[in-house]
């Protein structure tokens, strides 16, 4: 592998966000290097679900035929409080279907898409520092092999896109701060063999109970992969005031045993992993004069369902479009990029994290859950709002109500998203 010494646009992190940014930037004619600490293909802790919003972005990238060769689902099967509801994807301005692809395969394919677009990809390079000049990033320092203490190399750049995930080590070097007073997620994921691997519905259990029988502020999921396995996981919500007092991996094993018969699961859980998820734009200092944080690094994760692939693909495209519009030496990215994130996501993130924060209040979910699950109409509306399925183009009543609530919510925020 030959490591470039310089580039116009350097993208750090080759997940969906970074690969989308690299693809769109390369297609726009920019010189792009895409670097990642791992050697591909590699795994990533994730539910693997692709909502219609993510499908729409993958269609933009020209990947629909590849995606349709995988499993296709038609909506959500919601379980809880004695009810099971089938909620089809609503369609509208978004596709009316979803999918699920293991991140080992999805991320590798997206990275290959960036390479085909003209980006130069290098892996096994862990970003550890930046070199600054006059307040701008002029180079990123990497350790080879992704190992601490390994030989260091530097790639000079005119512009930097940081897409290195929820922990964002390079973002921390640049001053990124995660604010935990708003809701965040704690989630675990595993794979397990299932005779329902080709099920046309993804399943969520909204009545997630711990081993002591108490209802937790989260949900369990089973997403068919069409490979003979399902992605099985659990996630709970927390805040600094009400932290999650739960061991995720034992909870996931307990959830799997409860679902083993209904979902025809067999064998042990494979590759169990867990992660913390900053959500709803709960980070500050997301950009500088010539650098920007995107996707999970900018906490672009839905507080109501933990979904981040769609926002990652979107923010990758948005930052590439913004860079294509601006001269490489143009000042003000530190103002323009946070403003663009707030324009696209501020209102919805604000109301979503406010609602998700309510779920962390003890006894609230057990009190309201049964009433909600008795209403197909209410749950269909909740799917629309919780599933990132309201877009800027939507003008129906549900979209108008969501935006109205978002405007009023953000006006009350002590710290607005990305602020």
């Amino acid at each position: 592998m030959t490591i470039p010494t310089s580039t116009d646009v350097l993208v750090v992190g080759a997940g969906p966000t970074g690969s989308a940014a690299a693809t769109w930037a390369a297609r726009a004619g920019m010189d792009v290097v895409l670097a990642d600490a791992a050697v591909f293909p590699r795994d990533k802790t994730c539910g693997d679900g692709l909502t219609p919003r993510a499908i729409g972005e993958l269609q933009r990238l020209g990947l629909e035929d590849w995606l349709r060769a995988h499993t296709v689902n038609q909506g959500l099967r919601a379980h809880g409080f004695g009810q099971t509801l089938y909620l089809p994807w609503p369609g509208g301005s978004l596709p009316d279907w979803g999918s699920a692809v293991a991140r080992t395969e999805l991320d590798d394919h997206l990275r290959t898409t960036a390479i085909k677009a003209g980006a130069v990809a290098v892996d096994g390079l862990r970003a550890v520092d930046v070199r600054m000049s006059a307040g701008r990033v002029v180079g990123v320092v990497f350790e080879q092999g992704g190992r601490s203490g390994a030989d260091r190399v530097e790639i000079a750049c005119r512009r930097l896109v940081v897409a290195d995930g929820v922990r964002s080590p390079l973002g921390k070097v640049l001053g990124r701060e995660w604010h935990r007073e708003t809701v965040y997620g704690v989630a675990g994921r595993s794979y397990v063999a299932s005779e329902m691997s080709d099920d046309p519905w993804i399943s969520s259990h909204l009545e997630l109970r711990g081993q002591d029988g108490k209802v937790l502020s989260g949900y369990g999921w089973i997403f068919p992969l069409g490979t003979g396995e399902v992605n099985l996981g659990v996630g709970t919500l927390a805040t600094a005031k009400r932290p999650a007092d739960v061991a995720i991996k034992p909870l996931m094993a307990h959830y799997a045993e409860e679902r083993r018969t209904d979902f025809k699961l067999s064998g042990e859980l494979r590759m169990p992993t867990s992660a913390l998820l900053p959500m709803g734009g709960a980070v500050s200092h997301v950009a500088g004069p010539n650098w920007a944080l995107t996707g999970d690094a900018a906490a672009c994760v839905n507080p109501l369902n933990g979904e981040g692939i769609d926002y990652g693909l979107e923010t990758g495209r948005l930052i590439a479009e913004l860079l294509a519009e601006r001269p490489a030496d143009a000042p003000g990215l530190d103002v323009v990029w946070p403003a663009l994130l707030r324009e696209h996501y501020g209102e919805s993130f604000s109301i979503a994290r406010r609602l998700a924060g309510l779920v962390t209040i003890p006894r609230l979910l057990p009190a309201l859950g049964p009433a909600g699950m008795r209403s197909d109409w209410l749950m269909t509306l909740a799917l629309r709002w919780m599933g990132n399925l309201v877009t800027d183009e939507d003008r129906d009543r549900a979209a108008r109500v969501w935006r109205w609530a978002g405007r009023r919510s953000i006006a009350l925020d002590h710290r607005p998203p990305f602020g």
Side-chain angles (χ1 to χ4, degrees):
M1 180 179 64
T2 300
I3 301 174
T5 58
S6 65
T7 187
D8 177 11
V9 177
L10 175 59
V11 181
V12 174
T17 308
S19 290
T23 299
W24 290 115
R27 288 179 180 177
M30 288 176 265
D31 179 32
V32 182
V33 170
L34 175 62
D36 197 279
V39 175
F40 281 70
R42 59 97 177 97
D43 187 32
K44 172 73 166 59
T45 303
C46 184
D48 296 338
L50 298 170
T51 65
R53 190 161 182 153
I55 298 296
E57 286 298 315
L58 292 167
Q59 287 175 329
R60 285 175 182 260
L61 286 165
L63 300 180
E64 180 172 355
D65 289 344
W66 174 82
L67 195 55
R68 283 193 176 275
H70 297 76
T71 184
V72 170
N73 59 64
Q74 59 194 59
L76 172 69
R77 181 169 50 218
H79 308 261
F81 305 101
Q83 304 287 327
T84 297
L85 302 178
Y86 288 80
L87 308 170
W89 297 121
S93 61
L94 293 170
D96 62 357
W97 58 285
S99 184
V101 180
R103 288 290 296 273
T104 304
E105 181 181 359
L106 177 70
D107 290 15
D108 191 53
H109 192 77
L110 287 169
R111 179 175 175 270
T112 299
T113 301
I115 294 169
K116 290 180 177 178
V120 175
V122 289
D123 53 15
L125 292 183
R126 186 168 71 96
V128 294
D129 205 353
V130 296
R131 184 165 59 87
M132 308 286 290
S133 177
R136 298 169 66 90
V137 173
V138 296
V140 174
V141 178
F142 297 89
E143 290 181 336
Q144 297 190 64
R147 302 186 311 276
S148 178
D151 292 340
R152 293 192 170 194
V153 296
E154 180 179 321
I155 301 177
C157 62
R158 300 174 74 187
R159 293 172 286 186
L160 171 65
V161 175
V162 181
D164 56 350
V166 292
R167 296 181 181 275
S168 191
L170 189 60
K172 291 178 183 177
V173 170
L174 291 164
R176 173 223 197 219
E177 185 177 358
W178 174 16
H179 306 285
R180 301 195 187 195
E181 67 269 21
T182 56
V183 69
Y184 61 91
V186 186
R189 172 233 73 186
S190 65
Y191 295 105
V192 61
S194 170
E195 294 179 27
M196 296 181 65
S197 180
D198 293 314
D199 189 354
W201 298 87
I202 63 173
S203 287
S204 290
H205 291 83
L206 306 180
E207 186 183 358
L208 178 65
R209 293 182 179 271
Q211 292 171 286
D212 58 1
K214 292 182 179 179
V215 177
L216 302 175
S217 58
Y219 73 100
W221 70 79
I222 296 176
F223 294 168
L225 295 170
T227 62
E229 289 190 317
V230 295
N231 182 307
L232 180 147
V234 295
T236 63
L237 298 170
T239 64
K241 184 178 179 181
R242 291 184 286 271
D245 184 20
V246 62
I248 284 293
K249 290 183 180 179
L251 175 62
M252 185 163 55
H254 173 66
Y255 171 69
E257 288 307 311
E258 288 189 320
R259 307 275 79 85
R260 188 168 290 275
T261 299
D262 291 347
F263 286 83
K264 302 178 181 177
L265 308 179
S266 61
E268 300 297 318
L269 300 186
R270 188 172 66 85
M271 297 171 62
T273 59
S274 61
L276 289 176
L277 297 174
M279 294 172 158
V283 297
S284 57
H285 207 210
V286 295
N290 69 329
W291 58 267
L293 271 60
T294 53
D296 288 357
C300 291
V301 176
N302 188 333
L304 291 172
N305 68 0
E307 165 70 4
I309 296 176
D310 49 6
Y311 292 128
L313 294 167
E314 284 181 3
T315 56
R317 173 174 55 83
L318 290 173
I319 189 62
E321 292 173 349
L322 186 61
L323 296 181
E325 294 169 359
R326 298 164 55 87
D329 57 353
L333 193 60
D334 51 344
V335 175
V336 176
W337 180 239
L340 186 63
L341 290 177
R342 282 191 289 271
E343 176 188 347
H344 280 273
Y345 309 122
E347 293 173 0
S348 61
F349 276 177
S350 175
I351 185 61
R353 69 190 192 186
R354 195 174 298 277
L355 292 174
L358 292 175
V359 176
T360 67
I361 298 175
R363 296 183 294 278
L364 186 65
L365 186 59
L368 299 182
M373 286 294 292
R374 284 195 292 268
S375 170
D376 284 36
W377 174 83
L378 186 59
M379 289 303 296
T380 298
L381 193 63
L383 173 66
R384 178 90 179 277
W385 289 345
M386 293 172 62
N388 311 340
L389 304 180
V390 175
T391 69
D392 295 339
E393 294 78 18
D394 292 333
R395 295 292 182 267
D396 59 280
R397 182 178 298 176
R400 293 199 304 272
V401 169
W402 185 244
R403 283 192 285 266
W404 174 86
R407 288 193 297 271
R408 278 144 186 81
S409 177
I410 202 169
L412 298 173
D413 281 341
H414 169 67
R415 190 190 303 277
F418 313 107

